[in-house]
Amino acid sequence: MTDTDRQKQPASRVSTAGRATTSRRRLHGAFGAGLSLLALTGSLVACSDGSDKSTAQATPSASASASNAAGPTVKNSESAEPTPAAKPTSLRQVTCKYRKDDSGSPSKFVGFPPGKLSRSVGTAKKMVITTNQGEIVIGLATRDVPCAVNALAFLAKKNFYDNTVCHRLATVETVGLGMLQCGDPLAKGDGKSPKDGAGGPGFLFDDENLNGMPLSRGTVGLAQNTEDANSNGSQFFISFTDENTQLTAMGAAFTMIGVVTKGMDVIDKIAKGGIIPFNDDPTADVRGEGSNAPKKKVVIKDVAIV
């Protein structure tokens, strides 16, 4: 089955009403040009259950001052190191499978990650992201997400993330959530490109560690390039408010890779800088027309898995 065919199949991910039983809409029609993570409000739906009735309604700020919003009030603290819930005897025994993304999404293909973890990847503890705004360090739950860490390590070694921009900033004032989204190698991050958030590495891999940690402040997860389960790629999001835990309560599930242990002050600074609303309309992001970009441009200079 191709990924194009897979997108036509009944959803296997969690919906707001429990397990979804109807086919799920593609990203651009449901959650905007970012990956399937950031939907989310005005309808506050993590994925569609096929009904016309919204589970919850939020009222995004569409005022003229929305583009100048200071962002949510954020606490200046880092999260604790993640505590893996599962402890395989040896991660060297894990076999990861990566498949070609044949959905037609734009990509920067640098090859497929190896199926087995190297010793250095298996013992990796941190993802260090160096940006023009400062350094962000993520404590990795490698034992719970070995294949995700393996993919990230491969991409980092290939300099996949170098000179890419974080294309999307979701704020409580505009969509009811607070997240910074990065990892699209082709994104412009200017609040104008409708394709921002559609790009990936040209391969996909399955979910891990679903519901492994709540979507609270400081947690980091993978965004998917479709609304289908098991379609992770290169994009990731960093949560900077506990408002995001509403998604967990609604049944949303993402591959959670760890928590920020250093650099939440960097994320806070970006959030407080506000957004560039897509085509001057902050609610266009909610309607799936494009991504609200951070006003403080975020350029990733280097990613290292250590």
Side-chain angles (χ1 to χ4, degrees):
M1 181 186 295
T2 68
D3 286 295
T4 302
D5 293 333
R6 188 177 288 103
Q7 290 156 12
K8 299 177 183 178
Q9 299 300 307
S12 59
R13 291 290 295 279
V14 180
S15 77
T16 56
R19 287 284 171 184
T21 57
T22 58
S23 60
R24 301 167 65 183
R25 296 168 294 172
R26 286 274 305 185
L27 163 70
H28 288 280
F31 296 158
L35 298 190
S36 69
L37 159 77
L38 294 180
L40 306 201
T41 61
S43 59
L44 258 185
V45 179
C47 55
S48 172
D49 64 1
S51 68
D52 293 316
K53 183 177 179 180
S54 299
T55 302
Q57 285 291 327
T59 305
S61 173
S63 66
S65 62
S67 63
N68 297 317
T73 301
V74 285
K75 295 177 289 186
N76 191 18
S77 62
E78 278 76 34
S79 301
E81 292 277 0
T83 302
K87 296 182 179 180
T89 302
S90 174
L91 293 183
R92 301 293 296 279
Q93 298 174 351
V94 173
T95 298
C96 301
K97 296 181 179 180
Y98 305 96
R99 65 186 186 277
K100 180 181 178 181
D101 179 3
D102 59 11
S103 66
S105 299
S107 67
K108 173 185 174 182
F109 185 67
V110 294
F112 290 99
K116 291 289 188 178
L117 278 67
S118 66
R119 185 178 302 277
S120 61
V121 172
T123 58
K125 297 183 182 301
K126 297 185 292 185
M127 178 176 179
V128 183
I129 306 171
T130 304
T131 81
N132 64 320
Q133 299 292 341
E135 185 178 84
I136 302 162
V137 179
I138 299 165
L140 295 171
T142 305
R143 288 183 180 272
D144 287 334
V145 288
C147 294
V149 171
N150 190 49
L152 292 169
F154 171 79
L155 293 174
K157 189 174 182 179
K158 293 287 187 178
N159 298 319
F160 176 90
Y161 291 105
D162 293 9
N163 299 312
T164 62
V165 300
C166 295
H167 65 277
R168 194 173 198 187
L169 179 65
T171 62
V172 173
E173 291 82 359
T174 53
V175 299
L177 302 172
M179 300 178 182
L180 177 68
Q181 191 168 334
C182 314
D184 177 349
L186 306 175
K188 299 183 183 301
D190 58 5
K192 297 178 181 178
S193 174
K195 293 184 179 180
D196 275 11
F203 64 81
L204 303 174
F205 59 97
D206 288 355
D207 298 326
E208 298 174 294
N209 200 31
L210 295 180
N211 299 317
M213 59 184 73
L215 289 170
S216 54
R217 172 180 163 84
T219 55
V220 184
L222 299 184
Q224 303 199 353
N225 83 332
T226 75
E227 290 178 63
D228 294 330
N230 301 315
S231 58
N232 300 291
S234 58
Q235 292 198 40
F236 58 92
F237 62 90
I238 301 173
S239 168
F240 55 82
T241 174
D242 289 337
E243 291 287 338
N244 302 329
T245 56
Q246 61 189 295
L247 295 180
T248 305
M250 289 165 54
F254 303 99
T255 293
M256 304 302 294
I257 64 171
V259 296
V260 174
T261 58
K262 176 185 176 183
M264 279 307 297
D265 58 327
V266 176
I267 302 297
D268 293 348
K269 175 178 67 174
I270 296 166
K272 290 177 180 178
I275 65 167
I276 302 173
F278 181 74
N279 285 343
D280 298 320
D281 180 1
T283 63
D285 188 295
V286 178
R287 296 195 299 272
E289 298 170 7
S291 297
N292 294 334
K295 187 173 290 186
K296 286 185 177 293
K297 189 168 186 176
V298 184
V299 181
I300 295 177
K301 299 296 186 180
D302 182 68
V303 171
I305 305 296
V306 295

